[in-house]
Amino acid sequence: MNLLSSAWFWITLIAILVIIRDIFIQKSHTITHNFPIVGHFRYWLERIGPELRQYIVANNREELPFNRQERSWIYASSKNENNLQGFGTDQDFSSPGYIFIKNAMMGFNPSKEHLYHQNPGVLPAAKVIGLYHKRAKPFRPYSIINISGMSYGSLSAKAVESLNKGALLAGCYHNTGEGSLSPYHQNGADVMLNIGTAYFGVRELDGRFSMEKLKQKVEENPCIKAIELKLSQGAKPGKGGMLPKSKINKEIAEIRHIPMDKDAMSPAFHSEFSTVPEMVDFIESMAAETGLPVGVKSAIGKLEQWEELAAYMEKHGKGPDFITIDGGEGGTGAAPHAFADHVSMPFTFAFAKVYQIFQRHNLTDKIFFIASGKLGFPEKALMAFAMGADSIHIAREAMMSIGCIQAQKCHTNHCPTGIATSNKWLQAGIDVTLKSERYYRYHYTLVKEIAEITHACGYEHPTQMTMDDIEWSMGDNNRTMALSKALGYTKTEISYSGLEDLVKCPHLGGLNARKRLSL
């Protein structure tokens, strides 16, 4: 009884102190001033609101950016659990934009000797990056699905290492994000080096780009297979990023070539060029000095400069080897809400408009198109391939495969899963061996299901999908429309001679994965 009395004494004392503080001292919050104690519960509930809605309020299909059904499919796939659903679909077939994939009466049936039966999770890209511009080191991605740019610093060391080791198992490449190549990107997987507006990792301390540092980085790291010049990204097009100095440790400073005592600011735009011809010259100089294919990544808004780029490339025969089109749905980078919600077009319209521009200039069979923006699901990936994509970049889906729960705290440094934080305690819960295997299982399942649906449509490879193989629901009027009619174009047919020719290509990446499979 004395112990109980003592506990209640301390509880009462703390409550009185909180009341005194709320009413007489703090001036910031009217709620807690007017309703001491109870007001704190209101703020606490608000703080955990996203988690409560995820598991209690929202139904399986309504939550954004990824609903519970989508997250559950990724989690089950990554854990090699049952990812099937029973008793039919719970989707609304009449909702506008609903995707219908048209299966064939008699699909493509791989023979017993077909490579699909050796490993259904292997599907190389149908095009070679850099071949048209005669780069010294052209590159055919070993996988049609690859990891999009997420920087070390934004993601934790253990998260980056998990993804890279998972990419090694899958044979896909791992984009570094603009934070440059870190030791955690160097576990054997192919790498795409992302260069942003701050030129992290290939710059002088004053921020100027250094070609010598780029050449040195490429020479010392043969895992780098291509260079991606980031113009903008879906989360915040036209706005640079910022890594606060509180998150900059000695290792990050050395990797990015930045001082430790200042916030790391990424400018909104590049300082090395300001016109299309200057950008092309910059791309060509990097390709000439490194031998690697060089492409650009961008969110899409105004189209005039894309028209100019396509015309310039057609006339001069030089320019980017690949174009990564990032939909406005992108979101691994924290951004002001107006940028995230309203600036740049969503993937479908962005890709369709840019693809048509390059098609009019007879370049779509010469450029490698990468699609990005919530496409890490079989039906969405196949829609992108039908529209003209050659491969898919995934980011948040990859994060979820290694444990992300969509807490939406990426920008706070308090990610509860340790994935998007530099906090050592929170990172400690990540088992790299386990998480790398989970990314691999998700990647394997995604590629396998893409292949299965492709076969159901009568094709061997998803690049053979046409815009007439996919239809959209036009709403509750019992009408559907083929992509070709809805978007106003038919994609350029790509030369394809069979999967066996792809795996025998001398430019095929994924060397370590190929050794395991004897391909």
Side-chain angles (χ1 to χ4, degrees):
M1 188 64 183
N2 289 337
L3 180 63
L4 181 63
S5 300
S6 178
W8 278 112
F9 169 77
W10 287 110
I11 291 171
T12 303
L13 178 60
I14 291 170
I16 291 171
L17 292 173
V18 169
I19 291 171
I20 292 171
R21 172 193 173 275
D22 285 342
I23 295 177
F24 299 105
I25 299 175
Q26 71 87 22
K27 306 293 183 182
S28 303
H29 301 290
T30 305
I31 291 292
T32 53
H33 175 275
N34 294 344
F35 302 97
I37 306 298
V38 174
H40 287 283
F41 282 97
R42 183 263 181 200
Y43 288 112
W44 178 71
L45 288 170
E46 181 183 49
R47 186 170 296 142
I48 64 170
E51 289 86 351
L52 288 174
R53 288 190 292 274
Q54 276 186 9
Y55 302 108
I56 299 175
V57 180
N59 68 34
N60 283 349
R61 299 284 186 179
E62 71 179 1
E63 194 179 5
L64 292 173
F66 294 89
N67 62 47
R68 186 183 298 130
Q69 190 72 20
E70 291 171 328
R71 299 196 311 274
S72 296
W73 182 83
I74 293 174
Y75 296 149
S77 299
S78 68
K79 297 173 185 177
N80 203 25
E81 295 175 350
N82 187 342
N83 65 358
L84 306 177
Q85 65 183 52
F87 209 63
T89 181
D90 59 357
Q91 292 273 41
D92 178 8
F93 278 17
S94 64
S95 60
Y98 188 86
I99 298 171
F100 296 99
I101 301 172
K102 296 159 70 174
N103 60 297
M105 178 184 286
M106 298 178 190
F108 173 81
N109 187 14
S111 66
K112 292 181 180 179
E113 297 77 27
H114 195 276
L115 290 169
Y116 170 80
H117 294 298
Q118 186 173 347
N119 188 334
V122 173
L123 203 52
K127 280 185 191 170
V128 178
I129 308 175
L131 203 59
Y132 172 68
H133 289 133
K134 298 181 174 60
R135 305 304 187 200
K137 304 172 186 176
F139 172 54
R140 185 192 297 275
Y142 183 72
S143 178
I144 55 170
I145 304 295
N146 298 283
I147 300 174
S148 190
M150 295 177 283
S151 304
Y152 168 53
S154 296
L155 263 58
S156 69
K158 284 193 173 184
V160 174
E161 184 179 356
S162 298
L163 290 174
N164 193 260
K165 289 184 175 178
L168 171 62
L169 295 172
C172 70
Y173 65 73
H174 187 182
N175 190 306
T176 64
E178 68 173 310
S180 195
L181 184 74
S182 73
Y184 312 104
H185 290 102
Q186 300 177 60
N187 292 284
D190 291 342
V191 167
M192 177 178 281
L193 178 66
N194 181 294
I195 298 177
T197 56
Y199 308 117
F200 292 132
V202 290
R203 58 178 256 161
E204 306 295 347
L205 276 177
D206 62 3
R208 290 180 297 114
F209 172 76
S210 170
M211 184 66 78
E212 289 306 312
K213 288 187 177 181
L214 174 62
K215 288 171 61 178
Q216 181 182 0
K217 191 173 292 291
V218 170
E219 289 169 1
E220 292 177 352
N221 298 280
C223 61
I224 300 175
K225 303 299 183 183
I227 298 170
E228 182 180 68
L229 183 65
K230 190 182 86 167
L231 305 178
S232 62
Q233 66 187 83
K236 47 188 174 186
K239 183 173 178 62
M242 191 270 283
L243 187 67
K245 61 183 179 182
S246 60
K247 292 183 70 175
I248 301 174
N249 55 31
K250 183 179 179 182
E251 183 179 45
I252 291 174
E254 290 176 351
I255 290 168
R256 297 196 179 201
H257 300 169
I258 56 175
M260 289 182 61
D261 59 346
K262 295 180 181 179
D263 295 335
M265 305 296 294
S266 298
F269 308 107
H270 282 269
S271 59
E272 290 295 310
F273 56 86
S274 58
T275 67
V276 166
E278 289 175 354
M279 181 183 75
V280 171
D281 288 345
F282 186 54
I283 288 169
E284 291 294 329
S285 65
M286 288 194 291
E289 293 290 343
T290 65
L292 297 177
V294 181
V296 296
K297 172 183 178 177
S298 184
I300 307 301
K302 294 182 178 182
L303 299 173
E304 292 85 353
Q305 289 179 317
W306 290 101
E307 292 274 6
E308 183 184 355
L309 174 61
Y312 191 90
M313 291 178 66
E314 183 183 27
K315 180 179 179 180
H316 297 280
K318 56 184 181 179
D321 298 292
F322 64 91
I323 297 175
T324 304
I325 297 176
D326 198 13
E329 307 94 325
T332 58
H337 81 89
F339 275 88
D341 294 347
H342 299 287
V343 182
S344 82
M345 289 186 281
F347 166 77
T348 305
F349 305 114
F351 189 94
K353 290 179 183 295
V354 171
Y355 187 90
Q356 289 177 79
I357 290 173
F358 286 89
Q359 190 176 53
R360 289 195 293 271
H361 291 274
N362 301 307
L363 292 167
T364 43
D365 60 334
K366 303 171 181 67
I367 299 172
F368 193 97
F369 285 94
I370 301 173
S372 177
K374 293 179 67 175
L375 300 174
F377 304 93
E379 72 286 355
K380 293 181 180 179
L382 280 163
M383 181 188 72
F385 284 116
M387 292 170 62
D390 296 298
S391 73
I392 306 293
H393 275 184
I394 56 172
R396 286 170 292 180
E397 299 93 323
M399 290 169 65
M400 284 188 276
S401 75
I402 63 169
C404 168
I405 61 170
Q406 194 173 275
Q408 297 177 287
K409 298 185 184 297
C410 313
H411 58 298
T412 67
N413 205 32
H414 298 300
C415 169
T417 63
I419 292 172
T421 177
S422 60
N423 184 294
K424 297 293 186 182
W425 169 257
L426 295 173
Q427 286 186 58
I430 297 178
D431 183 323
V432 172
T433 302
L434 173 64
K435 297 302 186 181
S436 61
E437 177 69 24
R438 287 191 176 177
Y439 170 76
Y440 166 66
R441 294 308 313 182
Y442 160 67
H443 183 280
Y444 173 93
T445 303
L446 175 59
V447 173
K448 176 176 175 287
E449 293 197 10
I450 289 172
E452 289 172 341
I453 299 173
T454 299
H455 296 167
C457 294
Y459 306 117
E460 182 182 40
H461 194 282
T463 197
Q464 297 173 280
M465 295 284 291
T466 74
M467 297 185 72
D468 290 325
D469 293 320
I470 308 284
E471 297 204 357
W472 274 342
S473 170
M474 294 292 104
D476 58 0
N477 54 9
N478 295 320
R479 290 188 65 226
T480 62
M481 185 178 293
L483 287 183
S484 57
K485 188 173 181 181
L487 297 175
Y489 74 100
T490 301
K491 82 168 189 178
T492 304
E493 185 177 348
I494 302 301
S495 176
Y496 177 74
S497 56
L499 185 59
E500 193 166 337
D501 285 347
L502 302 188
V503 299
K504 291 180 179 179
C505 174
H507 309 302
L508 185 64
L511 177 62
N512 292 306
R514 283 156 49 201
K515 286 179 179 177
R516 293 199 319 275
L517 297 172
S518 300
L519 291 181

